Amino acid sequence: MSAKIKPELGLDSLSDRLRNTLTYAQPDCAAAADANKPDFRELDLGSPVSPLRTRTAAATTTTTTTTTSSSSSSSGSVSGRNPNPIPPRKSDSNSGELSAESSPSATRSFKPGHTRSDSTGSHPGSVSSPPLNVLPTGNICPSGRILKTGMASRSAKTDVLGSGSVNYGHGSIMRGGLASKPGLDTSPPAFSRGLMVGGEPVKRAAPPSTGGGADPEEVKRMGNESYRKGNFAEALSLYDKAIALSPGNAAYHFNRAAALMGLRRLVEAARECEEAIGLDPGYVRAHHRLGSLLLSLGHIENARKHICFIGHQPDPVEMQKLQSVEKHMSKCTAARRGGDWRSVLREVEAAIASGADASPQFCSCRAEALLKLHQLEDAFLALPSIHNSGLSIHLHSQSKIFGMLFEAYLYFVKSQIEFAKGRFESAVTAIEKAGQIDPRNVEIAVLLSNVRVVGRARARGNDLFKSERYTEACSAYGEGLKHDPSNSVLYCNRAACWFKLGMWERSVDDCNQALRIQPNYIKALLRRAASNSKLERLSEAVRDYEVLRRELPDDKEVAESLFHAQVALKKSRGEEVHNMKFGGEVESVSGLEQFRAAVSSPGASVVHFKTSSSAECKQISPFLDTLCTRYPSINFLKVDIEDSASIAHAENVKIVPTFKIYRRGTRVKEMICPSPEVLESSVRHYSI
């Protein structure tokens, strides 16, 4: 047998279970052997994000051998073997449950509909016998004690089974054997775990339907099974049904929070823990789980209140995480106040890594630091979505970071990034929203003023530029830069004015400033390349145009500018540039003399050897047309080896498609069936 019945219990048959007297004793949930176990009504579903550990204690509980009477005996009650018994509470004659009063030392106040017991110690009391011929409702434990549902200690062993084929009340039948480990199933297949009746195992009944009249405990058990299998959505649905059947049960809300955590719906999980605490203010594990969730969401002060719940030892792992996050954010705040943005970035990233990994405010702080360090694109990517962060914001709407309300800080950072990107209208909208949320914050008020001033300066400069009043436009943009010296858009706009005024050196300087703030700023690259071409700094101009070609491969204006810059650079080096023109097509060559003249022309020549019947040649030909547009300084030729056998014989071409690159009549590269990437890489190399 997988489960043993201890001899001292004297359970030889079902009739031996109920006698004239019954002693009730509740085990201590803090006992060392049961330190990590949930009660029979509640599954301790550890957090998938940051598992909470139940604390252990050295306390032990003395159990009393239970004697029972036969089902035909008259009703009556006796008190447990406690020196200070509590007067018995009258049992509900309709429920068939055993009644017991909690000890005066219990710390929890229970609300109507909530029957989960206090699990901080033993609760001796008197019980009244059930009605005649009705067996009590409750959990039948391996020790032989009959416990009221929800009054046992919480346990990590969550396996509970439905009642057998005989009606033993509505409780769960627990696995037998005190040495059984959580997760192990040593019982015979298709039988209940550990309950023996008349020496024969009772077969397990089919799971009950979750329809009308369903037992919420059984529905919760099914949810627990789904959770253990990782089916969090299914578990959530079952917990919802259990709550609908018994809305006042805090344990169901607690388990529902675990399922939501498995689905990464952390804010909803936190609210579910708050619901459980509302039903049972002394629910310690709900407090601890809520504290863990709030820490992950960045609500440090509120997290501390629940992790360090008054009168209970905090979980050491969660406490260590809390202290680490607090330490890093304290340093982050000091660094931000002093304008040390590298330290701000380092400390906020450390805080996120320490446990606040789902905080939109901490992510916003990281985005702000990246912006101040002129990493605009990284800042833009790091900025969390305010729409997706809304649930977290309203969880504790008065929480603050850097003296600013959580929601206001998100809009504050968003405004700065929109402003730096040149989206002035969006920036104004965001900072005005921040001002509405936190109207007394000084930082928000200063930024709001600057955004409005700079926005007006930019608008005035744009109007003057359109009117060709370039000098006045320069002054207008300069006025905006006084209020926002890190605005790349204003620098780039003023560079355009300098270019129009023929002051190319100043134009290059302003473009450099803009690119220092926003390295891949396309307009700044274009204006700097054009200004360098005017200053005959052709190498710098070609370098910028090549960057632009990679960013804008199909832009013909950029391609033409690059072509002319390359031609000018070749001329400055004394190279021949005869007959070079922009925007040529792939030229077809059929005669040997025509071929030799074409590959001997200045610059590089790329020859595509093909046949009209080859599928590979047909596939790559459109790409060659694209390369012809992208690299106008290269001569692109094509030769059909079936129509031009003399060229194929002279160049020893037997496989198509074959590509050869020539410089001044000399072959420098040969590729047989190259990929488009390899072909373009080679063309790019010889286009310089």
Side-chain angles (χ1 to χ4, degrees):
M1 290 293 179
S2 61
K4 298 179 180 179
I5 299 179
K6 301 180 73 174
E8 65 268 24
L9 299 180
L11 303 179
D12 296 328
S13 67
L14 180 61
S15 63
D16 292 329
R17 289 184 173 275
L18 299 178
R19 297 190 185 281
N20 293 330
T21 60
L22 181 144
T23 302
Y24 171 82
Q26 183 180 5
D28 188 348
C29 76
D34 296 328
N36 294 320
K37 298 182 179 180
D39 63 29
F40 301 136
R41 294 193 61 231
E42 170 188 349
L43 173 65
D44 178 18
L45 302 177
S47 164
V49 179
S50 54
L52 295 177
R53 296 170 174 78
T54 57
R55 67 180 183 281
T56 59
T60 60
T61 301
T62 303
T63 59
T64 304
T65 303
T66 303
T67 60
T68 59
S69 65
S70 68
S71 61
S72 62
S73 62
S74 62
S75 64
S77 65
V78 297
S79 64
R81 299 178 186 177
N82 188 290
N84 299 309
I86 298 174
R89 182 175 62 191
K90 185 177 180 180
S91 66
D92 184 352
S93 61
N94 296 322
S95 68
E97 291 189 353
L98 299 176
S99 300
E101 291 290 331
S102 299
S103 72
S105 61
T107 59
R108 297 183 187 171
S109 60
F110 295 92
K111 297 188 177 182
H114 174 60
T115 59
R116 195 180 53 77
S117 69
D118 183 280
S119 55
T120 59
S122 63
H123 293 261
S126 300
V127 298
S128 60
S129 63
L132 190 63
N133 297 328
V134 178
L135 292 178
T137 297
N139 294 303
I140 303 178
C141 293
S143 66
R145 292 190 300 271
I146 301 180
L147 306 182
K148 182 179 179 181
T149 303
M151 292 298 292
S153 63
R154 287 193 291 270
S155 163
K157 180 63 213 165
T158 57
D159 291 2
V160 292
L161 302 176
S163 59
S165 58
V166 182
N167 179 15
Y168 298 106
H170 300 290
S172 299
I173 302 174
M174 299 302 295
R175 178 196 302 261
L178 295 177
S180 297
K181 296 181 179 179
L184 297 179
D185 186 359
T186 57
S187 59
F191 295 103
S192 66
R193 304 183 181 187
L195 178 66
M196 302 291 292
V197 180
E200 294 297 331
V202 178
K203 293 187 178 182
R204 184 185 307 172
S209 170
T210 59
D215 181 5
E217 280 295 297
E218 181 64 17
V219 177
K220 185 207 71 172
R221 184 194 67 78
M222 295 168 63
N224 295 349
E225 291 295 330
S226 295
Y227 181 91
R228 280 196 294 270
K229 294 175 182 178
N231 299 328
F232 302 124
E234 181 180 330
L236 180 63
S237 176
L238 289 166
Y239 292 141
D240 285 339
K241 292 178 181 178
I243 291 171
L245 292 168
S246 180
N249 191 304
Y252 299 169
H253 291 279
F254 181 77
N255 283 9
R256 186 177 190 272
L260 288 166
M261 292 168 74
L263 296 170
R264 294 298 296 173
R265 291 158 61 177
L266 303 188
V267 177
E268 294 173 77
R271 286 177 172 168
E272 206 64 33
C273 287
E274 289 182 334
E275 183 72 21
I277 292 169
L279 293 168
D280 182 0
Y283 196 167
V284 178
R285 293 165 70 186
H287 279 285
H288 286 176
R289 176 164 290 170
L290 177 58
S292 176
L293 285 163
L294 291 175
L295 179 61
S296 183
L297 293 166
H299 297 261
I300 302 175
E301 293 181 7
N302 289 295
R304 173 171 281 279
K305 294 176 184 177
H306 295 282
I307 291 175
C308 303
F309 184 53
I310 297 174
H312 296 272
Q313 188 70 22
D315 180 84
V317 174
E318 294 301 315
M319 192 64 193
Q320 183 180 7
K321 288 165 60 177
L322 173 64
Q323 291 171 344
S324 179
V325 172
E326 287 177 331
K327 178 188 71 175
H328 288 300
M329 287 310 296
S330 177
K331 292 181 179 179
C332 178
T333 301
R336 186 178 182 276
R337 192 181 300 116
D340 183 0
W341 292 102
R342 291 193 181 279
S343 295
V344 170
L345 181 61
R346 181 179 63 252
E347 295 300 332
V348 76
E349 287 180 340
I352 291 171
S354 296
D357 53 355
S359 170
Q361 288 71 35
F362 289 12
C363 290
S364 292
C365 178
R366 181 173 180 270
E368 184 182 26
L370 289 167
L371 175 65
K372 298 297 184 181
L373 293 171
H374 305 308
Q375 300 177 41
L376 179 57
E377 293 304 319
D378 291 337
F380 182 74
L381 294 174
L383 184 67
S385 168
I386 293 179
H387 174 71
N388 293 335
S389 305
L391 290 174
S392 175
I393 291 164
H394 296 297
L395 187 63
H396 289 276
S397 59
Q398 297 305 307
S399 298
K400 291 188 175 183
I401 182 171
F402 310 130
M404 198 179 307
L405 290 176
F406 267 19
E407 185 177 9
Y409 182 65
L410 291 184
Y411 283 105
F412 177 78
V413 176
K414 177 179 174 62
S415 176
Q416 294 180 74
I417 293 177
E418 293 288 353
F419 202 47
K421 295 282 283 184
R423 299 197 278 256
F424 286 82
E425 291 77 12
S426 297
V428 171
T429 301
I431 195 59
E432 286 178 346
K433 180 69 173 177
Q436 293 170 5
I437 297 167
D438 198 348
R440 298 182 180 180
N441 187 271
V442 176
E443 274 194 273
I444 292 175
V446 171
L447 181 59
L448 177 58
S449 176
N450 284 347
V451 168
R452 286 173 173 169
V453 169
V454 174
R456 286 194 295 267
R458 171 185 175 261
R460 182 169 177 271
N462 289 351
D463 290 339
L464 291 168
F465 185 89
K466 292 175 183 177
S467 301
E468 299 183 359
R469 297 159 65 181
Y470 303 122
T471 303
E472 295 174 71
C474 281
S475 299
Y477 293 133
E479 189 66 27
L481 287 167
K482 290 179 182 178
H483 293 84
D484 185 13
S486 297
N487 195 294
S488 59
V489 175
L490 295 181
Y491 279 117
C492 188
N493 286 4
R494 193 169 69 174
C497 295
W498 295 130
F499 185 88
K500 291 292 186 179
L501 293 169
M503 303 175 73
W504 301 306
E505 195 68 58
R506 287 193 176 186
S507 179
V508 170
D509 290 341
D510 273 357
C511 287
N512 288 338
Q513 289 289 341
L515 290 165
R516 180 180 62 83
I517 299 166
Q518 191 176 346
N520 294 323
Y521 195 174
I522 299 298
K523 288 184 178 180
L525 282 169
L526 280 168
R527 284 165 188 165
R528 187 173 69 177
S531 297
N532 277 324
S533 294
K534 293 292 185 180
L535 293 168
E536 296 186 356
R537 297 172 183 167
L538 300 174
S539 295
E540 289 86 345
V542 168
R543 184 164 54 247
D544 282 343
Y545 282 128
E546 286 174 343
V547 172
L548 290 163
R549 286 293 287 152
R550 289 193 292 272
E551 295 292 328
L552 306 169
D554 299 318
D555 191 306
K556 291 185 177 181
E557 184 177 348
V558 171
E560 186 172 1
S561 297
L562 174 60
F563 172 76
H564 291 304
Q566 288 173 331
V567 169
L569 180 61
K570 290 176 182 293
K571 286 182 178 179
S572 68
R573 293 172 177 173
E575 298 181 18
E576 295 183 16
V577 291
H578 301 298
N579 299 323
M580 292 190 69
K581 59 183 184 300
F582 172 76
E585 297 179 352
V586 180
E587 183 182 355
S588 180
V589 178
S590 57
L592 182 59
E593 292 300 322
Q594 181 189 9
F595 171 80
R596 288 174 176 170
V599 298
S600 299
S601 61
S605 299
V606 175
V607 183
H608 176 205
F609 294 93
K610 59 183 281 294
T611 62
S612 57
S613 60
S614 170
E616 292 84 354
C617 292
K618 291 179 180 178
Q619 185 176 4
I620 203 167
S621 290
F623 183 68
L624 195 65
D625 295 333
T626 301
L627 293 180
C628 185
T629 303
R630 289 182 183 176
Y631 303 94
S633 63
I634 299 288
N635 298 318
F636 288 89
L637 310 171
K638 58 184 177 182
V639 176
D640 190 319
I641 62 173
E642 293 175 343
D643 297 336
S644 306
S646 58
I647 300 177
H649 179 74
E651 297 299 316
N652 194 28
V653 176
K654 298 179 180 179
I655 301 173
V656 293
T658 293
F659 290 87
K660 296 188 180 186
I661 301 177
Y662 299 83
R663 271 189 181 277
R664 298 182 179 278
T666 303
R667 185 177 69 249
V668 295
K669 179 92 173 173
E670 180 174 354
M671 296 165 284
I672 298 175
C673 302
S675 66
E677 294 77 16
V678 170
L679 179 58
E680 182 170 13
S681 176
S682 299
V683 170
R684 185 187 306 115
H685 176 74
Y686 289 103
S687 67
I688 301 174

